[in-house]
């Protein structure tokens, strides 16, 4: 007679649900506030805050890595919040340098302009930002910018939930199937395990479809309604992330066939006894193992080809390592979940199956540690990034959770060893389940013998038909006895189950492992959406390098001798530029004669030219303050660099000369 599976205990179930709820709240709160700036803006022309004398023909942006730019990815807004660009983005990358440009309209008026940009980095995460520059002089601006970063808001939260669900579905699908094939083949006919694997497939498939629909608003407008925009979906399908998501759906179609065979033809051969049937089952097991491994590796590759492993250094090695890392996680955590379900819901489980999973989990943890160590070195890069970046801190949390999980697993191995000494885990409990089922079946049989009609049907009849009252009372009494016998059988089953310390201890430790595994999976999801420590430090080094320049600007002081060739045509020009850096400056010019006394001349002019950037000459017309003293304020120097200063001195109507000198503005 078939044994009845014990019910999942209410207290453990509540604890697991509480852990899961708290985790998901924490995970997606962090996800909603975690920046995903995996590509950094390393430079621009004009620079942020620069003041240029004339309007540039275009704007160029330089990134730390290649990015994908769609329509309206770069927008230039004038002080009145109107588009000042032509709308055509150009790829100007060369020699490994990621540069992109957009043209500007001709005849732009003076004022402050805002450049807003949004792109998708190579690891599929959206990035965005904005900066300003001024033409002629700074001014007020009414340019309106998005109130949230790319990938944020409600769409970002939903996208993060779908990513978590996709990882969870992959773990249940691959880990559950691996547990059945590699540890407990008789589990293929156990309904709770079948439901676990099928739900993993459904969860992964549904999450992948949601990610595909949300991809366009996630990297673009941020509006949930755009998830159903066919034009946006078409654009997504042409990207790397869209291709990998479609490939994942195709592989999930193949996985559905695998699941059908596993729980169909394979499960029917569970009790095969003949040599011929035994060989057929071995061949089928081998085929499922090979095919399942290929499909699982293919699904794992859809993450490796589109996320962190596909960018940065050593991508040819990083992607296979990432695939192995994901498979190890799935076999360990998914198998752990399958074991938990078997311990609580299956009528029995062989102790040999538990031991096989213990060995499988050990191998998976070793693979996880080796691949994780390489990934940590590749993504973090330095000890300072380990504690000084969000990625490094999350990685430390993940390592801590793995250590806790291994510590709990040590107790599970001890309980497994105790069970191994007693042959099978089922023994007394399986017999008790059978006894309880027999008792319940006998009670039902007694009820049917007392009155084959349902109680609900006979009660009204007894009220109207004489002589039938005793029959109805007997039916009710038989039903009550059946319920009492079933309750007693359940109570006896629970007492025997709770009296088995080895099985109870194993279930508690495995439940604790599963709870930590849920948290670990959440941290991993956040980690994949966080900027790697190596690139975060590189991006942070850019402003530090700029800050390494002298904090206090040094005024420019120049002394230039001149000779116009006429009477009183010799002398010296003393010129001061204060504060001597980009932006607004004041220029003072002192003209002295050969006797070092102020020389009153009719006219003095000056100009500045930055040949390296093809800027200038910028004319400067100083005003006479006193004999030999000329000054000009509000001089705008747009860029730092080696400028050519030219000063023209006129000593009479026909006698003048121009002297020059290179000066450093910085």
């Amino acid at each position: 007679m078939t044994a009845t599976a014990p019910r999942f205990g209410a207290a453990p179930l509540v604890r697991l649900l509480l852990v899961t709820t708290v985790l998901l709240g924490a995970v997606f709160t962090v996800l909603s506030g975690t920046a995903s700036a995996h590509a950094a803006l390393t430079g621009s022309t004009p620079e942020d805050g620069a003041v240029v004398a004339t309007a540039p023909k275009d704007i160029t942006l330089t990134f730390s890595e290649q990015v994908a730019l769609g329509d309206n990815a770069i927008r230039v807004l004038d002080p009145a919040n109107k588009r000042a660009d032509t709308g055509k983005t150009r790829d100007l990358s060369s020699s490994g340098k990621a540069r992109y440009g957009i043209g500007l309209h001709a005849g732009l008026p003076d004022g402050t302009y805002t450049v807003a940009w949004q792109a998708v980095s190579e690891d599929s995460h959206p990035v965005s930002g904005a900066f300003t520059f001024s033409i002629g002089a700074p001014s007020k601006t009414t340019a309106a910018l998005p109130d949230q970063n790319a990938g944020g808001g409600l769409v970002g939260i939903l996208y993060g939930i779908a990513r978590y669900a996709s990882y969870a579905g992959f773990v249940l699908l691959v880990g559950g199937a691996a547990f059945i094939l590699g540890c407990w083949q008789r589990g293929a006919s156990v309904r709770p395990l079948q439901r676990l694997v099928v739900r993993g497939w459904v969860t992964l498939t549904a999450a992948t479809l949601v990610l595909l629909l949300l991809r366009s608003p996630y990297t673009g407008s941020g509006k949930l309604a755009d998830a159903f925009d066919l034009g946006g979906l078409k654009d997504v399908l042409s990207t790397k992330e869209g291709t990998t998501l479609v490939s994942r759906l195709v592989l999930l179609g193949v996985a559905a066939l695998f699941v059908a065979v596993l729980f169909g033809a394979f499960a029917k051969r569970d009790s095969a006894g003949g040599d011929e049937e035994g060989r057929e089952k071995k061949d089928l097991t081998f085929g499922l193992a090979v095919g399942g491994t290929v499909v699982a590796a293919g699904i794992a590759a859809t993450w490796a080809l589109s996320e962190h492993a596909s960018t940065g250094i050593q991508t040819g090695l990083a992607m296979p390592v990432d695939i192995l890392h994901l498979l190890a996680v799935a076999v360990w955590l998914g198998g752990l979940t399958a074991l938990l379900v078997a311990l609580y819901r299956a009528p029995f489980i062989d102790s040999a199956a538990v031991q096989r999973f213990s060995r499988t989990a050990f191998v998976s943890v070793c693979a996880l540690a080796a691949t994780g160590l390489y990934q940590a070195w590749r993504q973090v890069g330095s000890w300072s990034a380990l504690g000084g970046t969000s990625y490094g801190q999350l990685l430390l949390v993940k390592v801590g959770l793995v250590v806790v999980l291994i510590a709990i697993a040590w107790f599970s191995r001890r309980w497994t060893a105790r069970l191994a000494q007693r042959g099978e885990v089922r023994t007394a409990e399986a017999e008790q389940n059978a006894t309880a089922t027999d008792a319940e079946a006998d009670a039902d049989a007694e009820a049917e013998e007392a009155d084959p009609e349902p109680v609900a049907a006979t009660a009204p009849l007894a009220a109207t038909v004489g002589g039938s009252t005793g029959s109805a009372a007997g039916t009710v009494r038989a039903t009550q006895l059946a319920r009492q016998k079933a309750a007693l059988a359940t109570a006896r089953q629970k007492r025997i189950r709770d009296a088995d310390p080895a099985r109870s201890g194993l279930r508690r430790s495995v439940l604790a492992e599963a709870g930590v595994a849920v948290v670990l999976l959440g941290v991993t999801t956040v980690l994949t959406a966080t900027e790697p420590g190596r690139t975060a430090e590189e991006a942070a080094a850019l402003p530090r390098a700029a800050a390494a320049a002298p904090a206090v600007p040094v005024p420019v002081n120049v002394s230039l001798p001149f000779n116009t060739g006429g009477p009183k045509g010799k002398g010296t020009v003393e010129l001061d530029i204060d504060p001597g850096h980009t932006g607004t400056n004041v220029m003072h010019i002192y003209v002295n004669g050969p006797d070092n006394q102020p020389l009153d001349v009719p006219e003095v002019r000056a100009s500045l030219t930055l040949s390296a950037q093809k800027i200038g000459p910028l004319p400067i017309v100083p005003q006479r303050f006193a004999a030999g003293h000329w000054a000009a304020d509000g001089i705008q120097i747009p860029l730092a660099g080696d400028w050519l200063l030219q000063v023209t001195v006129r000593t009479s109507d026909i006698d003048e000369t121009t002297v020059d000198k290179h000066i450093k503005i910085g």
Side-chain angles (χ1 to χ4, degrees):
M1 186 169 293
T2 304
T4 303
R7 295 297 179 185
F8 196 82
L13 177 60
V14 170
R15 287 195 294 267
L16 184 59
L17 289 177
L18 284 175
V19 169
T20 304
T21 303
V22 172
L23 162 78
L24 291 178
V27 165
F28 298 116
T29 298
V30 175
L31 270 176
S32 63
T34 301
S36 301
H38 296 211
L41 181 69
T42 59
S44 64
T45 304
E47 295 180 344
D48 184 13
V51 180
V52 297
T54 57
K57 295 181 179 180
D58 53 25
I59 302 294
T60 61
L61 305 179
T62 304
F63 293 90
S64 58
E65 63 181 48
Q66 295 293 328
V67 296
L69 297 173
D71 295 337
N72 296 319
I74 302 176
R75 295 179 298 127
V76 183
L77 306 175
D78 66 13
N81 197 30
K82 295 181 180 179
R83 291 288 292 267
D85 59 86
T86 60
K88 296 180 180 179
T89 304
R90 305 188 307 275
D91 188 350
L92 307 176
S93 303
S94 62
S95 303
K97 200 170 187 179
R99 293 178 67 247
Y100 304 86
I102 188 169
L104 299 180
H105 295 308
L108 294 178
D110 291 352
T112 297
Y113 289 75
T114 302
V115 181
W117 56 271
Q118 182 170 326
V120 180
S121 59
E122 282 191 308
D123 57 4
S124 78
H125 296 284
V127 292
S128 61
F131 64 91
T132 62
F133 72 95
S134 301
I135 300 175
S139 68
K140 294 182 179 180
T141 177
T142 60
L145 297 177
D147 55 359
Q148 64 184 31
N149 293 328
L154 176 61
V155 170
I157 294 175
L158 294 177
Y159 196 87
I161 294 174
R163 290 179 69 250
Y164 180 90
S166 65
Y167 281 119
F170 176 76
V171 165
L172 295 180
L173 172 62
V174 174
F179 177 82
I180 293 172
L181 280 176
C183 301
W184 192 35
Q185 294 184 2
R186 297 179 68 179
S189 58
V190 176
R191 282 297 180 87
L193 287 180
Q194 292 178 355
R195 286 194 291 267
L196 177 72
V197 175
V198 171
R199 286 170 181 169
W201 182 90
V202 171
T203 300
L204 179 55
T205 303
T208 302
L209 288 171
V210 171
L211 289 172
L212 193 60
L213 291 174
L214 289 179
R215 186 65 189 172
S216 177
Y218 177 66
T219 60
S221 65
K223 299 177 181 178
L224 186 59
D226 288 346
F228 304 100
D229 180 14
L230 295 181
L233 181 60
K234 181 179 178 181
D235 293 338
V236 168
L237 295 178
S238 63
T239 64
K240 181 174 67 172
E241 179 70 11
T243 302
T244 56
L245 289 174
V246 171
S247 301
R248 189 183 301 168
L249 289 174
V250 173
L251 289 169
L252 284 170
V254 180
L257 297 177
F258 168 86
V259 172
V261 174
L262 179 64
F263 297 142
F266 183 80
K268 290 178 181 178
R269 287 177 170 80
D270 179 53
S271 59
D275 293 340
E276 184 68 24
E277 291 180 345
R279 284 194 297 270
E280 289 181 359
K281 183 174 182 180
K282 287 182 179 179
D283 293 340
L284 185 57
T285 302
F286 178 78
L288 285 174
V290 173
T293 301
V294 172
V295 173
I299 296 175
T302 60
W303 278 288
L305 290 170
S306 62
E307 295 194 347
H308 287 164
S310 63
T311 62
I313 61 175
Q314 300 180 356
T315 55
L317 176 61
M319 287 189 285
V321 169
D322 193 53
I323 293 172
L324 182 59
H325 187 81
L326 287 170
L327 292 177
V329 170
V331 171
W332 182 23
L333 301 186
L336 186 67
T337 307
L339 176 60
L340 181 66
V341 170
L343 287 172
Y344 275 94
R345 302 301 301 272
F348 69 91
I349 179 173
D350 298 334
S351 62
V354 181
Q355 289 179 302
R356 281 192 290 269
F357 174 72
S358 181
R359 291 191 292 267
T360 302
F362 177 77
V363 174
S364 298
V365 170
C366 291
L368 191 66
T371 55
L373 186 63
Y374 169 76
Q375 288 180 326
W377 168 82
R378 180 175 176 271
Q379 299 291 359
V380 177
S382 66
W383 291 108
S384 59
L386 189 61
T389 64
S390 298
Y391 188 94
Q393 293 164 1
L394 283 171
L395 184 61
L396 290 176
V397 173
K398 180 180 178 181
V399 172
L401 290 172
V402 171
V403 172
V404 172
L405 200 56
I406 293 174
I408 300 174
W410 181 79
F411 289 98
S412 298
R413 289 175 65 88
R414 292 187 62 188
W415 292 120
T416 301
R418 292 185 183 183
L419 289 170
Q421 297 174 359
R422 293 155 48 187
E424 283 188 323
V425 178
R426 64 174 181 173
T427 56
E429 183 173 2
E431 294 174 1
Q432 178 62 24
N433 289 341
T435 302
T437 304
D438 291 343
E440 188 174 351
D442 292 341
D444 292 341
E446 291 178 6
E448 291 178 1
E449 290 175 1
D451 193 342
E453 296 298 326
V455 176
T458 58
L461 187 63
T464 56
V465 180
S468 62
T469 304
S471 176
T475 301
V476 173
R477 178 61 179 167
T479 303
Q480 291 175 345
L481 290 174
R483 291 175 179 173
Q484 291 175 358
K485 289 181 179 180
L488 290 173
T490 302
R492 284 194 299 270
Q493 174 187 340
K494 185 177 184 301
R495 284 197 301 269
I496 292 179
R497 183 186 65 200
D498 294 341
D500 183 0
R503 181 182 176 100
S504 298
L506 180 60
R507 290 197 306 180
R508 287 194 299 268
S509 62
V510 171
L511 180 61
E513 286 186 75
V516 176
V518 172
V519 180
L520 179 63
L521 189 61
V523 173
T524 301
T525 304
V526 179
L527 197 63
T528 59
T530 305
E531 182 177 7
R534 185 186 294 271
T535 55
E537 278 206 331
E538 291 174 354
L542 294 173
R544 285 201 302 268
V552 179
V554 179
V556 176
N557 302 114
V558 177
S559 179
L560 301 172
F562 67 89
N563 185 0
T564 62
K568 296 183 180 181
K570 292 183 179 182
T572 303
V573 173
E574 301 284 346
L575 186 142
D576 298 332
I577 300 178
D578 189 21
H581 68 162
T582 57
T584 304
N585 289 262
V586 176
M587 177 183 291
H588 290 273
I589 302 176
Y590 301 92
V591 183
N592 299 319
D595 55 358
N596 207 27
Q597 295 297 315
L599 179 63
D600 197 10
V601 296
E603 184 181 13
V604 175
R605 302 188 306 274
S607 66
L608 289 169
T609 304
L610 184 60
S611 302
Q613 299 292 337
K614 298 181 179 179
I615 298 178
L618 305 180
I620 301 171
V621 182
Q623 301 295 320
R624 182 179 181 277
F625 270 37
H629 182 195
W630 302 71
D633 58 5
I635 300 173
Q636 298 294 332
I637 302 180
L639 298 175
D642 188 12
W643 289 81
L644 176 63
L645 170 65
Q646 294 179 305
V647 180
T648 301
V649 180
R650 183 167 63 86
T651 56
S652 67
D653 291 341
I654 59 174
D655 299 319
E656 72 175 30
T657 186
T658 300
V659 293
D660 58 66
K661 185 174 183 177
H662 286 274
I663 59 174
K664 189 70 174 179
I665 300 294

